Amino acid sequence: GKRIAAQLTNVKFSNADAQGALQLDWKTSDPATSPGHARFPGVLDLQGSLTRAQAARVYRYLPLVLPASVRDYVHEAVLGGSASAVTFVVKGDLHKLPFTNDKQGKFHITANLQNTTFAFVPRKLQAGGEKPWPALTQLSAELVFDRQSLQIKGATGKFAGPGGLPVARADAQIADLTHNATVQVDAQTKGPLKDMLGFVAGSPLDAITGQALTRATPTGAADLKLPLELPL
């Protein structure tokens, strides 16, 4: 009839991108109470985990209800590396995915990233002729999608480029993936001041500072704090 339901348990899957297991319950919505006033796309309760995943392929599995600009950002920003201890949960009426609050449902993905490259400002977001922002390389971090937000938390690694400036901690987030998405990055590092100025000279900070530090010959140690906020 008009009510359809499906249950899948102990589902195991594998491809070139990932390997894992899941279980799910799905049923058609009640048009009288559904936010979409229709039977489809239905109500889903999906839980799963991955034992193996390619970090650079995460973008392929993001819901198509997310704006293309967000999926493109993840594609261009998360490069190389692997992910482990991946868990994912989708629960609620799919008409409202990715959900805005507890009442609507749950959309949650967590993953531990290893040896990943994170180009937090992809070239696509920069003006022509601008120096690239050095990517974070050899990155270890926690990646979290929670409803409408994306976070990279507690990242450590180093900046690409000469000297390989180490990163003591970096965090990035897109608070709202669905409306006027903006990426916020906060990176901190300590090291020789000459390496800090090498980072400045090789990034857009060189133009921002009017190349005032290009000829400096510093000594000693320094802290670098780099907050950025960029619209997608």
Side-chain angles (χ1 to χ4, degrees), residues 60-85:
R60 297 188 66 194
Y61 300 91
L62 297 179
L64 295 179
V65 295
L66 295 178
S69 61
V70 171
R71 288 181 276 116
D72 287 345
Y73 174 79
V74 176
H75 182 193
E76 295 160 1
V78 181
L79 308 171
S82 61
S84 63

Side-chain angles (χ1 to χ4, degrees), residues 149-165:
S149 69
L150 175 154
Q151 289 181 293
I152 291 179
K153 300 163 60 176
T156 59
K158 64 180 184 179
F159 285 108
L165 193 65

Side-chain angles (χ1 to χ4, degrees), residues 22-55:
L22 62 82
Q23 61 184 20
L24 68 84
D25 290 308
W26 173 87
K27 62 183 179 181
T28 48
S29 302
D30 180 353
T33 58
S34 169
H37 303 294
R39 293 188 299 150
F40 300 104
V43 179
L44 179 66
D45 184 352
L46 167 68
Q47 299 182 50
S49 62
L50 303 179
T51 56
R52 169 181 60 81
Q54 298 296 322

Side-chain angles (χ1 to χ4, degrees), residues 167-218:
V167 176
R169 181 183 176 93
D171 298 289
Q173 72 166 344
I174 302 174
D176 189 343
L177 295 162
T178 59
H179 297 94
N180 300 318
T182 298
V183 60
Q184 296 175 303
V185 179
D186 186 3
Q188 301 176 30
T189 184
K190 297 180 179 180
L193 181 55
K194 64 181 180 63
D195 291 344
M196 303 285 184
L197 296 194
F199 173 86
V200 170
S203 74
L205 292 173
D206 190 39
I208 292 172
T209 57
Q211 300 164 337
L213 303 175
T214 302
R215 298 183 182 181
T217 53

Side-chain angles (χ1 to χ4, degrees), residues 3 17 57 72 74 80 85 100 104-105 107 109 115 117 127 131-132 144 172 176 187 206 231:
R3 295 185 180 180
D17 298 337
R57 308 295 272 181
D72 287 345
V74 176
T100 57
Q104 288 185 347
F107 170 63
I109 303 172
N115 200 29
T117 296
K131 289 184 178 181
V144 179
D176 189 343
D206 190 39

